[in-house]
């Protein structure tokens, strides 16, 4: 039984038990409210999750797209995961890194390997990475993570460097979060995996991660330590997806109420096949593509200010469809094995990786696709470097003012990318897209300013942002 204070298990189950399809009038009323960018309450969210009619579903998709564009504009932020170690003491039944998986080759990158890996990512054009690791001994783990962050930030390859490191590592204590905060991380990310406590117990068999409440309180501890840029998520496939969405929204409301700040990002991973993990190949609550699209759209309308992250777990078709539904950040060219970007380790990859990927295209292929879909691929790191995080970010994102930064900064970082890495066709298509985006900036002063800065980029200046 889940009796934890901010996840009201009884309330969620009673909603689930009373589930009914909302009538058309109710659904359209909710969508009208959604268009006002004020978010939705749990009852409204649940009603939209129960919609079956394809005409109304298409309206939900349309409103989600509208909300995304009103808040963030037509840009998609890109990042790559950076796995530094696959050692782990936990036994999460869905993950290849689990401690009892004897078939996995274990690897922890040394400083030299981290530098090599960073250079490979820089050659691909990346500026933002998500550092990922398994969980071993927490204090030594944290030292290793902090040293890795320092190493990555320190690497230069000509004019290129990593400008933002987000982190997805095991929960820390307040004191440990204070140490991590000093490393200038971007977002601290942690997924509850499942908010359903009984299921949580069944899939986390051993190690510190088997403590449901300690994980659930992680973001509270991060906030208390002064980290106010956080990301949350659910691993879809473990339990009823409607329960998970409602519980995640309760988590968000708790954070908003307690700290005045919600999560900067929500991740929506679905379970992918992992080495020696039967549950990953046959998840108990499979989320099909249609329901997955509904989840993304409803979250987008319900929590309009939050970035939604879609990883390369999903295949290119689903990813392309999700761009239209409100996803705002995606990974590209990803590897889930430590050392994966280095050609040298290619032959071992299958026995080192956390799970297999749905989208195995290169970063440049993904970028070309994004351009063809009419979105600006963005490597922006502006908000975090200008201190627009926590409350300051919310103040801009809630009324939809953040796109005055997102679009120009997206244009600058994409212009850098096409100058430094684009082939002839991307240069041509990219410039056409930038011209189109410039015209769409309605504030003429801002448009002139962006044009001025673009000419600086053509002259070789780098790392321009508002
Ligand atoms: N070890 C830390 C933890 O579990 O919190 C850090 C991150 S873990 C390497 C990153 C995430 O990968 C997990 O939170 C989980 O949601 C996801 N994951 C694990 N196995 C997966 C699988 N088979 N398919 C998709 N995602 C998976
Ligand atoms: Fe370890 Fe994280 Fe994988 Fe669990 S999900 S086995 S904690 S790496």
């Amino acid at each position: 039984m889940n009796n934890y204070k901010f996840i009201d298990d009884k309330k969620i189950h009673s909603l689930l038990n009373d589930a009914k399809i909302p009538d058309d009038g109710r659904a359209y009323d909710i969508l009208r409210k959604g268009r006002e960018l004020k978010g939705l309450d749990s009852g409204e969210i649940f009603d939209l999750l129960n919609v079956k009619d394809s005409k109304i579903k298409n309206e939900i998709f349309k409103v989600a797209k509208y909300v995304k564009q009103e808040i963030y504009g037509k840009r998609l932020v890109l990042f790559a995961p950076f796995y530094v170690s696959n050692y782990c003491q936990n036994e999460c039944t869905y993950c290849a890194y689990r401690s009892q998986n004897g078939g996995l080759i274990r690897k922890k990158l040394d400083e030299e390997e981290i530098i090599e890996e960073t250079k490979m990512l820089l050659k691909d054009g990346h500026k933002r990475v998500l550092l990922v690791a398994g969980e071993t001994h927490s204090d030594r783990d944290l030292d290793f993570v902090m040293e890795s962050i320092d190493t990555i930030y320190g690497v230069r390859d000509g004019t290129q460097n990593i400008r933002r490191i987000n982190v997805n590592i095991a929960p820390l204590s307040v004191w440990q979060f204070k140490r991590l905060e000093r490393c200038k991380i971007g977002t601290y990310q942690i997924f509850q995996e499942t908010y359903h406590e009984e299921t949580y117990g069944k899939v986390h068999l051993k190690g510190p991660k088997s403590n449901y409440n300690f994980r659930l309180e992680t973001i509270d501890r991060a906030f208390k330590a002064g980290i106010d840029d956080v990301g949350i998520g659910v691993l879809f496939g473990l339990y009823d997806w409607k329960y998970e969405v409602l519980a995640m929204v309760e988590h968000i409301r708790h954070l908003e109420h307690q700290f005045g700040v919600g999560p900067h990002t929500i991740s929506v991973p679905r379970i992918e096949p992992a080495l020696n993990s039967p549950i990953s190949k046959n998840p108990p609550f499979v989320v099909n593509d249609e329901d997955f699209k509904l989840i993304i759209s409803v979250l987008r309308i319900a929590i309009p200010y939050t970035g939604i992250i879609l990883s390369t777990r999903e295949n290119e078709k689903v990813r392309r469809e999700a761009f239209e539904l409100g996803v705002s950040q995606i990974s590209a060219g990803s590897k889930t094995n430590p050392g994966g970007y280095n050609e040298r380790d290619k032959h071992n990859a299958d026995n080192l990786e956390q799970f297999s990927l749905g989208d195995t295209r290169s970063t440049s292929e993904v970028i070309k696709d994004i351009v063809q879909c009419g979105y600006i691929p963005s490597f922006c790191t502006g908000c975090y470097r200008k201190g627009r995080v926590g409350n300051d970010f919310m103040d801009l994102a809630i009324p939809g003012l953040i796109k005055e930064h997102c679009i120009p900064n997206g244009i600058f970082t994409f212009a850098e990318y096409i100058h430094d890495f684009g082939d002839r066709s991307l240069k041509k298509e990219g410039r056409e897209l930038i011209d189109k985006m410039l015209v769409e900036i309605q504030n003429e002063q801002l448009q002139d300013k962006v044009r001025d800065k673009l000419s600086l980029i053509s002259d070789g200046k780098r790392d321009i942002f508002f």
Side-chain angles (χ1 to χ4, degrees):
M1 255 295 282
N2 180 352
N3 55 8
Y4 197 65
K5 52 189 181 226
F6 55 80
I7 305 294
D8 192 339
D9 183 62
K10 269 204 191 124
K11 187 177 113 192
I12 300 175
H13 271 126
S14 84
L15 268 176
L16 291 173
N17 291 337
D18 290 343
K20 55 179 185 315
I21 299 171
D23 62 46
D24 291 10
R26 163 84 175 153
Y28 283 115
D29 280 349
I30 298 171
L31 289 175
R32 244 188 309 279
K33 179 176 170 197
R35 275 185 176 270
E36 290 167 17
L37 311 180
K38 291 188 181 130
L40 304 177
D41 65 34
S42 292
E44 292 160 340
I45 293 168
F46 189 57
D47 278 348
L48 291 190
L49 293 177
N50 282 313
V51 164
K52 294 271 179 290
D53 181 85
S54 58
K55 198 170 87 230
I56 302 181
K57 268 193 198 169
N58 284 335
E59 279 308 306
I60 298 177
F61 298 159
K62 267 195 220 154
V63 174
K65 181 173 179 175
Y66 169 83
V67 171
K68 147 81 180 12
Q69 302 214 1
E70 282 301 296
I71 305 275
Y72 290 108
K74 286 196 96 181
R75 65 92 166 109
L76 273 172
V77 170
L78 287 160
F79 70 95
F82 192 140
Y83 281 73
V84 289
S85 166
N86 65 7
Y87 283 90
C88 193
Q89 61 175 314
N90 292 314
E91 187 61 16
C92 312
T93 54
Y94 46 80
C95 178
Y97 289 5
R98 66 190 172 81
S99 60
Q100 285 165 14
N101 182 4
L104 189 84
I105 302 174
R106 302 284 166 178
K107 187 173 171 87
K108 180 175 178 179
L109 301 184
D110 63 25
E111 191 184 352
E112 198 63 26
E113 288 168 322
I114 290 175
I115 293 171
E116 280 179 26
E117 200 77 342
T118 309
K119 286 189 175 163
M120 296 304 290
L121 285 163
L122 291 175
K123 286 198 184 353
D124 232 11
H126 282 291
K127 303 287 183 290
R128 307 165 53 107
V129 296
L130 171 68
L131 186 143
V132 190
E135 178 172 13
T136 47
H137 181 281
S138 62
D139 276 331
R140 265 180 285 134
D141 260 2
L142 185 57
D143 290 342
F144 168 65
V145 164
M146 290 169 64
E147 283 156 19
S148 303
I149 292 172
D150 268 359
T151 305
I152 297 168
Y153 274 138
V155 176
R156 293 285 179 282
D157 190 25
T159 55
Q160 311 295 327
N161 67 305
I162 295 295
R163 300 172 187 164
R164 173 176 177 132
I165 304 176
N166 298 333
V167 175
N168 186 328
I169 57 164
L172 302 174
S173 65
V174 174
W175 177 78
Q176 288 171 323
F177 271 127
K178 283 189 180 162
R179 291 186 64 208
L180 182 66
E181 201 260 336
R182 291 199 286 271
C183 293
K184 306 250 171 289
I185 61 162
T187 308
Y188 171 75
Q189 225 183 54
I190 186 94
F191 308 153
Q192 184 61 25
E193 320 295 13
T194 171
Y195 283 94
H196 187 247
E197 192 169 3
E198 200 182 313
T199 304
Y200 189 93
K202 284 185 193 155
V203 295
H204 299 107
L205 303 178
K206 210 172 77 69
K209 191 164 167 182
S210 52
N211 186 336
Y212 173 92
N213 284 351
F214 187 72
R215 195 165 180 96
L216 194 59
E217 289 179 312
T218 305
I219 300 291
D220 290 55
R221 292 194 299 279
F223 276 141
K224 282 178 192 154
I227 293 181
D228 50 8
D229 187 336
V230 296
I232 63 171
V234 161
L235 183 59
F236 285 103
L238 296 174
Y239 191 60
D240 182 342
W241 55 270
K242 290 181 188 168
Y243 182 99
E244 302 290 17
V245 172
L246 292 172
M248 182 155 63
V249 169
E250 293 216 339
H251 191 182
I252 293 169
R253 299 302 178 219
H254 158 78
L255 297 172
E256 289 170 344
H257 177 74
Q258 203 70 17
F259 303 98
V261 183
H264 186 165
T265 58
I266 297 175
S267 296
V268 288
R270 284 193 287 187
I271 297 182
E272 286 295 308
L275 181 74
N276 296 332
S277 159
I279 191 181
S280 73
K281 286 156 196 155
N282 193 12
F285 288 84
V286 174
V287 177
N288 65 36
D289 289 354
E290 217 31 49
D291 291 340
F292 189 56
K293 280 162 50 179
L294 191 62
I295 292 172
I296 294 174
S297 312
V298 173
L299 283 172
R300 165 51 64 224
I301 302 169
I303 323 285
Y305 62 81
T306 302
I308 298 185
I309 302 181
L310 192 73
S311 77
T312 45
R313 289 173 181 87
E314 301 300 332
N315 66 37
E316 28 180 303
K317 178 175 173 286
V318 170
R319 289 196 357 131
R320 210 171 290 131
E321 286 173 1
F323 298 166
E324 295 289 301
L325 305 175
V327 160
S328 52
Q329 295 191 23
I330 61 164
S331 49
S334 308
K335 303 283 182 217
T336 68
N337 52 313
Y341 298 105
N342 200 320
E343 293 294 302
R344 230 182 22 206
D345 281 333
K346 230 178 176 170
H347 56 285
N348 269 335
D350 289 353
N351 293 325
L352 280 153
E353 70 184 11
Q354 194 191 11
F355 48 82
S356 56
L357 297 173
D359 185 351
T360 53
R361 293 172 298 168
S362 67
T363 305
S364 67
E365 286 170 319
V366 174
I367 286 179
K368 283 180 183 170
D369 196 26
I370 295 174
V371 171
Q372 266 162 17
C373 295
Y375 293 90
I376 284 278
S378 169
F379 296 90
C380 175
T381 53
C383 278
Y384 130 89
R385 290 161 77 204
K386 289 272 186 191
R388 285 190 299 266
V389 293
N391 274 316
D392 293 344
F393 176 80
M394 299 271 286
D395 287 348
L396 289 169
I398 289 172
L401 296 173
I402 198 70
K403 64 176 177 291
E404 305 246 322
H405 299 277
C406 294
I407 292 296
N409 289 343
I411 291 176
F412 299 148
T413 55
F414 180 50
E416 282 188 21
Y417 179 86
I418 53 179
H419 276 284
D420 296 341
F421 304 98
D423 59 21
R424 200 190 291 174
S425 75
L426 183 66
K427 281 190 163 76
K428 181 174 172 294
E429 285 174 30
R431 287 197 187 110
E432 284 166 9
L433 180 63
I434 289 176
D435 285 344
K436 202 165 147 238
M437 290 286 170
L438 281 169
V439 177
E440 285 178 17
I441 298 178
Q442 278 159 10
N443 175 337
E444 279 179 25
Q445 267 180 327
L446 181 61
Q447 201 187 105
D448 289 345
K449 226 165 130 185
V450 175
R451 285 184 199 279
D452 287 349
K453 302 277 184 208
L454 276 173
S455 56
L456 293 178
I457 293 171
S458 299
D459 294 343
K461 186 142 177 35
R462 292 290 171 267
D463 204 10
I464 291 175
F465 54 93
F466 293 154

